[in-house]
Amino acid sequence: MNRREFITTGLAAFGVSALGLRAEAQAAGIPPPTLVQMRVPLPANEIHVFPNHFRLYHTRADGTAVRYACRVGRDSLYEPGQYYVGAKKANPSWKPTPGMVEREPEKYAQYEEDGIPGGPNNPLGVRALYLFQPGRGDTFLRIHGTNDPGTIGRAVSNGCAGLTNEHIRVLYDQTPIDTPVVLYPKMG
């Protein structure tokens, strides 16, 4: 089996059409999800976000992972640590946090009361994984979709990791509740 067949077979195991995602990703200049061999062994069925590389890895039992291009939180809003997926929502509604309204009222105050209903045009995109911590509960951090693929590969969010709407659909379907998530510290 050659490399292309291996990757396509691995993506098919995740329910991903390599050709469909490749076309979407190329149109936006974003690499499609890629099956990669892990250089360092990590436990299976976890999500690892490496902010300096703007990559999210969903690990598998065979020592491989599906690698996604992502965006991350800007500056001090990025919060490294260990989390778990405490909730999942398809087409989630969105409301800015009080901190978001305080930092940028001109951008968020208009949504403070009613938020934005679920769907592809809201800031959480079409799917969201809600990150929790023991003793703290919901951290208000998410791994979610975006309708602005130009933000992938940048530190622009209010703390969340973001994927394209097409890519978050795949990750969402493969991620059960209680999946461990590690957000690594930014370096430098």
Side-chain angles (χ1 to χ4, degrees):
M1 178 180 296
N2 69 30
R3 184 176 189 277
R4 178 174 290 213
E5 290 169 334
F6 177 72
I7 290 170
T8 303
T9 300
L11 291 174
F14 275 95
V16 177
S17 163
L19 293 177
L21 284 178
R22 188 171 294 131
E24 175 273 328
Q26 285 178 344
I30 300 165
T34 305
L35 188 64
V36 297
Q37 184 67 43
M38 296 300 295
R39 291 182 198 164
V40 176
L42 294 171
N45 304 312
E46 293 187 352
I47 294 173
H48 296 262
V49 176
F50 293 89
N52 287 69
H53 301 285
F54 301 101
R55 294 294 185 259
L56 179 152
Y57 293 82
H58 186 211
T59 60
R60 298 165 32 120
D62 63 359
T64 63
V66 178
R67 179 180 62 203
Y68 296 86
C70 68
R71 70 180 188 187
V72 297
R74 64 183 189 260
D75 304 323
S76 64
L77 299 177
Y78 180 80
E79 189 178 332
Q82 295 186 12
Y83 303 87
Y84 66 93
V85 175
K88 296 171 49 169
K89 294 187 183 175
N91 295 309
S93 60
W94 172 84
K95 200 175 200 179
T97 66
M100 292 167 72
V101 174
E102 184 179 319
R103 278 189 304 276
E104 298 177 84
E106 69 286 351
K107 188 173 181 180
Y108 297 117
Q110 63 185 324
Y111 305 112
E112 187 173 17
E113 294 299 317
D114 298 325
I116 298 176
N121 294 320
N122 105 12
L124 293 181
V126 297
R127 302 287 184 274
L129 304 174
Y130 291 64
L131 303 185
F132 285 57
Q133 287 182 321
R136 183 175 171 196
D138 188 357
T139 63
F140 296 99
L141 295 174
R142 314 282 183 247
I143 298 171
H144 62 80
T146 180
N147 63 348
D148 187 0
T151 62
I152 302 298
R154 297 173 51 204
V156 296
S157 79
N158 280 287
C160 299
L163 306 174
T164 66
N165 277 327
E166 290 76 13
H167 295 174
I168 191 63
R169 280 185 177 105
V170 176
L171 182 63
Y172 180 94
D173 288 344
Q174 299 299 321
T175 304
I177 296 292
D178 293 328
T179 295
V181 177
V182 180
L183 302 181
Y184 290 89
K186 289 184 178 181
M187 306 307 247

